[in-house]
PDB file of all heavy atoms in Angstrom:
ATOM      1  N   TYR A  88       1.509  27.713   3.875  1.00 98.00           N
ATOM      2  CA  TYR A  88       2.638  28.494   3.436  1.00 98.00           C
ATOM      3  C   TYR A  88       2.707  29.777   4.262  1.00 98.00           C
ATOM      4  O   TYR A  88       1.656  30.339   4.584  1.00 98.00           O
ATOM      5  CB  TYR A  88       2.514  28.865   1.940  1.00 98.00           C
ATOM      6  CG  TYR A  88       2.495  27.656   1.047  1.00 98.00           C
ATOM      7  CD1 TYR A  88       1.304  27.053   0.679  1.00 98.00           C
ATOM      8  CD2 TYR A  88       3.703  27.099   0.602  1.00 98.00           C
ATOM      9  CE1 TYR A  88       1.302  25.948  -0.149  1.00 98.00           C
ATOM     10  CE2 TYR A  88       3.681  25.979  -0.235  1.00 98.00           C
ATOM     11  CZ  TYR A  88       2.499  25.404  -0.602  1.00 98.00           C
ATOM     12  OH  TYR A  88       2.474  24.306  -1.408  1.00 98.00           O
ATOM     13  N   VAL A  89       3.916  30.215   4.594  1.00 98.00           N
ATOM     14  CA  VAL A  89       4.052  31.440   5.397  1.00 98.00           C
ATOM     15  C   VAL A  89       5.076  32.332   4.704  1.00 98.00           C
ATOM     16  O   VAL A  89       6.057  31.876   4.145  1.00 98.00           O
ATOM     17  CB  VAL A  89       4.509  31.136   6.838  1.00 98.00           C
ATOM     18  CG1 VAL A  89       3.439  30.384   7.597  1.00 98.00           C
ATOM     19  CG2 VAL A  89       5.810  30.389   6.881  1.00 98.00           C
ATOM     20  N   PRO A  90       4.825  33.659   4.764  1.00 98.00           N
ATOM     21  CA  PRO A  90       5.831  34.610   4.279  1.00 98.00           C
ATOM     22  C   PRO A  90       6.992  34.696   5.302  1.00 98.00           C
ATOM     23  O   PRO A  90       6.866  34.231   6.435  1.00 98.00           O
ATOM     24  CB  PRO A  90       5.079  35.930   4.168  1.00 98.00           C
ATOM     25  CG  PRO A  90       3.952  35.787   5.129  1.00 98.00           C
ATOM     26  CD  PRO A  90       3.603  34.337   5.178  1.00 98.00           C
ATOM     27  N   SER A  91       8.071  35.306   4.880  1.00 96.00           N
ATOM     28  CA  SER A  91       9.235  35.388   5.779  1.00 96.00           C
ATOM     29  C   SER A  91       8.945  36.114   7.082  1.00 96.00           C
ATOM     30  O   SER A  91       9.557  35.799   8.094  1.00 96.00           O
ATOM     31  CB  SER A  91      10.379  36.098   5.051  1.00 96.00           C
ATOM     32  OG  SER A  91       9.997  37.390   4.657  1.00 96.00           O
ATOM     33  N   LEU A 106      10.941  23.850   7.333  1.00 98.00           N
ATOM     34  CA  LEU A 106      10.242  24.461   6.189  1.00 98.00           C
ATOM     35  C   LEU A 106      10.870  24.028   4.872  1.00 98.00           C
ATOM     36  O   LEU A 106      12.060  23.786   4.806  1.00 98.00           O
ATOM     37  CB  LEU A 106      10.343  25.977   6.261  1.00 98.00           C
ATOM     38  CG  LEU A 106       9.554  26.697   7.348  1.00 98.00           C
ATOM     39  CD1 LEU A 106      10.361  26.790   8.609  1.00 98.00           C
ATOM     40  CD2 LEU A 106       9.182  28.067   6.875  1.00 98.00           C
ATOM     41  N   SER A 107      10.017  23.974   3.836  1.00 98.00           N
ATOM     42  CA  SER A 107      10.479  23.755   2.486  1.00 98.00           C
ATOM     43  C   SER A 107      10.433  25.113   1.816  1.00 98.00           C
ATOM     44  O   SER A 107       9.362  25.715   1.683  1.00 98.00           O
ATOM     45  CB  SER A 107       9.599  22.744   1.768  1.00 98.00           C
ATOM     46  OG  SER A 107      10.002  22.601   0.420  1.00 98.00           O
ATOM     47  N   THR A 108      11.569  25.611   1.410  1.00 98.00           N
ATOM     48  CA  THR A 108      11.690  26.989   0.860  1.00 98.00           C
ATOM     49  C   THR A 108      12.420  26.945  -0.479  1.00 98.00           C
ATOM     50  O   THR A 108      12.936  25.908  -0.893  1.00 98.00           O
ATOM     51  CB  THR A 108      12.500  27.860   1.835  1.00 98.00           C
ATOM     52  OG1 THR A 108      13.862  27.436   1.829  1.00 98.00           O
ATOM     53  CG2 THR A 108      11.954  27.817   3.244  1.00 98.00           C
ATOM     54  N   PRO A 109      12.525  28.103  -1.149  1.00 97.00           N
ATOM     55  CA  PRO A 109      13.323  28.145  -2.375  1.00 97.00           C
ATOM     56  C   PRO A 109      14.821  27.844  -2.098  1.00 97.00           C
ATOM     57  O   PRO A 109      15.542  27.478  -3.018  1.00 97.00           O
ATOM     58  CB  PRO A 109      13.167  29.583  -2.831  1.00 97.00           C
ATOM     59  CG  PRO A 109      11.857  30.030  -2.274  1.00 97.00           C
ATOM     60  CD  PRO A 109      11.733  29.307  -0.957  1.00 97.00           C
ATOM     61  N   LEU A 110      15.265  27.977  -0.858  1.00 97.00           N
ATOM     62  CA  LEU A 110      16.637  27.643  -0.487  1.00 97.00           C
ATOM     63  C   LEU A 110      16.812  26.158  -0.157  1.00 97.00           C
ATOM     64  O   LEU A 110      17.893  25.704   0.173  1.00 97.00           O
ATOM     65  CB  LEU A 110      17.100  28.490   0.709  1.00 97.00           C
ATOM     66  CG  LEU A 110      17.085  29.988   0.533  1.00 97.00           C
ATOM     67  CD1 LEU A 110      17.505  30.676   1.821  1.00 97.00           C
ATOM     68  CD2 LEU A 110      17.973  30.399  -0.615  1.00 97.00           C
ATOM     69  N   GLY A 111      15.719  25.406  -0.150  1.00 97.00           N
ATOM     70  CA  GLY A 111      15.749  23.983   0.202  1.00 97.00           C
ATOM     71  C   GLY A 111      15.006  23.763   1.505  1.00 97.00           C
ATOM     72  O   GLY A 111      14.279  24.624   2.002  1.00 97.00           O
ATOM     73  N   VAL A 112      15.220  22.599   2.095  1.00 98.00           N
ATOM     74  CA  VAL A 112      14.575  22.261   3.370  1.00 98.00           C
ATOM     75  C   VAL A 112      15.454  22.800   4.493  1.00 98.00           C
ATOM     76  O   VAL A 112      16.622  22.425   4.614  1.00 98.00           O
ATOM     77  CB  VAL A 112      14.385  20.753   3.497  1.00 98.00           C
ATOM     78  CG1 VAL A 112      13.739  20.384   4.825  1.00 98.00           C
ATOM     79  CG2 VAL A 112      13.549  20.201   2.367  1.00 98.00           C
ATOM     80  N   ILE A 113      14.893  23.728   5.288  1.00 98.00           N
ATOM     81  CA  ILE A 113      15.682  24.418   6.300  1.00 98.00           C
ATOM     82  C   ILE A 113      14.845  24.581   7.580  1.00 98.00           C
ATOM     83  O   ILE A 113      13.645  24.347   7.577  1.00 98.00           O
ATOM     84  CB  ILE A 113      16.162  25.821   5.845  1.00 98.00           C
ATOM     85  CG1 ILE A 113      14.981  26.707   5.441  1.00 98.00           C
ATOM     86  CG2 ILE A 113      17.159  25.683   4.685  1.00 98.00           C
ATOM     87  CD1 ILE A 113      15.363  28.117   5.035  1.00 98.00           C
ATOM     88  N   ALA A 118      15.524  30.204   8.108  1.00 98.00           N
ATOM     89  CA  ALA A 118      14.569  30.946   7.271  1.00 98.00           C
ATOM     90  C   ALA A 118      14.484  32.424   7.702  1.00 98.00           C
ATOM     91  O   ALA A 118      14.476  33.306   6.862  1.00 98.00           O
ATOM     92  CB  ALA A 118      13.191  30.297   7.331  1.00 98.00           C
ATOM     93  N   ASN A 121      17.723  34.255   6.688  1.00 97.00           N
ATOM     94  CA  ASN A 121      17.812  34.529   5.254  1.00 97.00           C
ATOM     95  C   ASN A 121      16.592  35.260   4.728  1.00 97.00           C
ATOM     96  O   ASN A 121      16.501  35.446   3.508  1.00 97.00           O
ATOM     97  CB  ASN A 121      18.011  33.207   4.496  1.00 97.00           C
ATOM     98  CG  ASN A 121      19.377  32.620   4.750  1.00 97.00           C
ATOM     99  OD1 ASN A 121      20.396  33.293   4.642  1.00 97.00           O
ATOM    100  ND2 ASN A 121      19.401  31.369   5.140  1.00 97.00           N
ATOM    101  N   ASN A 122      15.660  35.622   5.625  1.00 98.00           N
ATOM    102  CA  ASN A 122      14.472  36.368   5.238  1.00 98.00           C
ATOM    103  C   ASN A 122      13.684  35.677   4.109  1.00 98.00           C
ATOM    104  O   ASN A 122      13.382  36.270   3.075  1.00 98.00           O
ATOM    105  CB  ASN A 122      14.821  37.793   4.847  1.00 98.00           C
ATOM    106  CG  ASN A 122      13.626  38.731   4.885  1.00 98.00           C
ATOM    107  OD1 ASN A 122      12.708  38.496   5.671  1.00 98.00           O
ATOM    108  ND2 ASN A 122      13.649  39.725   4.058  1.00 98.00           N
ATOM    109  N   VAL A 123      13.397  34.385   4.319  1.00 98.00           N
ATOM    110  CA  VAL A 123      12.676  33.592   3.322  1.00 98.00           C
ATOM    111  C   VAL A 123      11.524  32.853   3.979  1.00 98.00           C
ATOM    112  O   VAL A 123      11.601  32.430   5.145  1.00 98.00           O
ATOM    113  CB  VAL A 123      13.653  32.630   2.597  1.00 98.00           C
ATOM    114  CG1 VAL A 123      14.183  31.569   3.530  1.00 98.00           C
ATOM    115  CG2 VAL A 123      13.008  32.001   1.401  1.00 98.00           C
ATOM    116  N   GLY A 124      10.424  32.686   3.268  1.00 98.00           N
ATOM    117  CA  GLY A 124       9.274  31.939   3.749  1.00 98.00           C
ATOM    118  C   GLY A 124       9.134  30.660   2.941  1.00 98.00           C
ATOM    119  O   GLY A 124       9.977  30.362   2.087  1.00 98.00           O
ATOM    120  N   GLY A 125       8.090  29.923   3.210  1.00 98.00           N
ATOM    121  CA  GLY A 125       7.853  28.682   2.461  1.00 98.00           C
ATOM    122  C   GLY A 125       6.786  27.845   3.126  1.00 98.00           C
ATOM    123  O   GLY A 125       5.988  28.322   3.935  1.00 98.00           O
ATOM    124  N   GLU A 126       6.779  26.563   2.806  1.00 98.00           N
ATOM    125  CA  GLU A 126       5.786  25.635   3.344  1.00 98.00           C
ATOM    126  C   GLU A 126       6.306  25.075   4.678  1.00 98.00           C
ATOM    127  O   GLU A 126       7.407  24.556   4.766  1.00 98.00           O
ATOM    128  CB  GLU A 126       5.567  24.487   2.361  1.00 98.00           C
ATOM    129  CG  GLU A 126       4.548  23.474   2.853  1.00 98.00           C
ATOM    130  CD  GLU A 126       4.331  22.304   1.900  1.00 98.00           C
ATOM    131  OE1 GLU A 126       4.990  22.264   0.872  1.00 98.00           O
ATOM    132  OE2 GLU A 126       3.490  21.439   2.234  1.00 98.00           O
TER     133      GLU A 126
END
Side-chain angles (χ1 to χ4, degrees):
Y88 297 93
V89 295
S91 59
L106 289 88
S107 177
T108 69
L110 300 178
V112 179
I113 58 176
N121 291 310
N122 199 29
V123 67
E126 181 182 0

